[in-house]
Structure formats: structure tokens, C-alpha cells
Amino acid sequence: SSDLEYLPYFPFKGIPRFYDIGGFLYEPKVFQKIVDVFVDRYREIGVDVIAGLDARGFVLGPPIALALNKPFIMMRKKGKMPNSVSSDDYTTEYGNRQGLTVQKDKIQKNHRVLIIDDLVATGGTLGSAVSLVKMLGGVVVECACVV
């Protein structure tokens, strides 16, 4: 559908598909439906905190966290957040990346963490996020993505 468009070779040749979530973000009814689907699922499963991945997870995570009345935390690229811990470096479809970071006090031992991002490509970023949650003693409930 036009609500989720893919663009070949963006941002550079060698990337066969880039999925643009801008289409559904522009359509409030579609965006709300996506949020509602996630909220219904995670209200039943139960989570303590929602972690959004830099940067599109910052768009999807907060409305879900608000609807569930749970805290939202950002998992950012290295060097973007004070008082943080970092996961190991990882690889994505764009190449090697430095680890993700999160503030030290945001994930507590046995916290049930839902990780949110827009899509799964190679799984490198999500894998980095999972290792960061585990490093801090949290438990990953699921990794949720639209694509």
C-alpha cells in the first residue's frame, strides 16, 4: 500500500529496499491503528518499560508507552547521551556501527523491556539492543517492528 512505500537503492546503491514509514505517519487513522495493535498485544503480555531505537523507534515508541502508561526510554547511537552504557559494535545493512547506548539507571534488574523499531533488516540493531537490555539485567519481552 502507499502507506508503507519502499524505495530501491536508498540511501545508496547496494541497499535493495528502503522502507519509508512516512506514508502511514501522515495518515492519522493508519498510524493510530498501528499503535492500537501494539497496545492491545503488550497490554496482555505486560511490560515494564518501552525502549525505542534511534531514530524511528522514537516516533513509534512514545504513543505506545503513553497508551500503556509505561516509561519510554531511548536507545541512542554512541556519543549522543550522557551517563550511559554501551553495547558492543554491530553490523547493519549500511555497514559496521558503534554500539547503542542507554542511560545507566533506566533499565533495572528483571525489568520486562519491549524494544520498538520501524523494521527488521539484518537484525544487527535489534541484536545490539537485546544485548544492552541483558547487560543491565533486564528481560526482553519482544522486539516489535512494523515491517
Side-chain angles (χ1 to χ4, degrees):
S1 104
S2 63
D3 293 329
L4 185 66
E5 181 180 8
Y6 91 85
L7 308 167
Y9 308 118
F10 182 84
F12 52 82
K13 193 157 180 68
I15 302 298
R17 294 176 190 248
F18 175 87
Y19 286 93
D20 179 18
I21 65 170
F24 77 72
L25 295 176
Y26 188 75
E27 298 293 334
K29 287 181 182 176
V30 176
F31 187 18
Q32 185 65 60
K33 180 65 177 172
I34 289 167
V35 170
D36 291 346
V37 166
F38 284 125
V39 168
D40 290 346
R41 176 168 181 76
Y42 297 109
R43 181 174 286 126
E44 281 188 29
I45 292 174
V47 298
D48 297 312
V49 65
I50 313 292
L53 302 188
D54 197 344
R56 289 176 288 275
F58 299 172
V59 175
L60 298 168
I64 296 165
L66 287 171
L68 293 171
N69 196 32
K70 299 295 180 182
F72 176 79
I73 60 172
M74 298 181 292
M75 290 192 164
R76 302 210 58 196
K77 296 172 181 114
K78 209 172 214 171
K80 303 279 185 179
M81 189 176 333
N83 193 29
S84 61
V85 294
S86 175
S87 66
D88 291 334
D89 293 351
Y90 60 99
T91 303
T92 72
E93 67 276 22
Y94 302 117
N96 295 329
R97 297 287 181 251
Q98 291 184 326
L100 291 175
T101 63
V102 68
Q103 290 179 315
K104 293 176 185 176
D105 62 343
K106 300 302 182 205
I107 298 174
Q108 305 298 315
K109 185 172 174 62
N110 297 320
H111 259 170
R112 293 174 50 80
V113 180
L114 171 62
I115 299 171
I116 301 272
D117 202 7
D118 61 335
L119 61 89
V120 180
T122 64
T125 307
L126 287 170
S128 181
V130 168
S131 69
L132 192 51
V133 170
K134 290 179 177 180
M135 181 189 331
L136 294 168
V139 176
V140 176
V141 173
E142 282 186 348
C143 295
C145 299
V146 176
V147 178

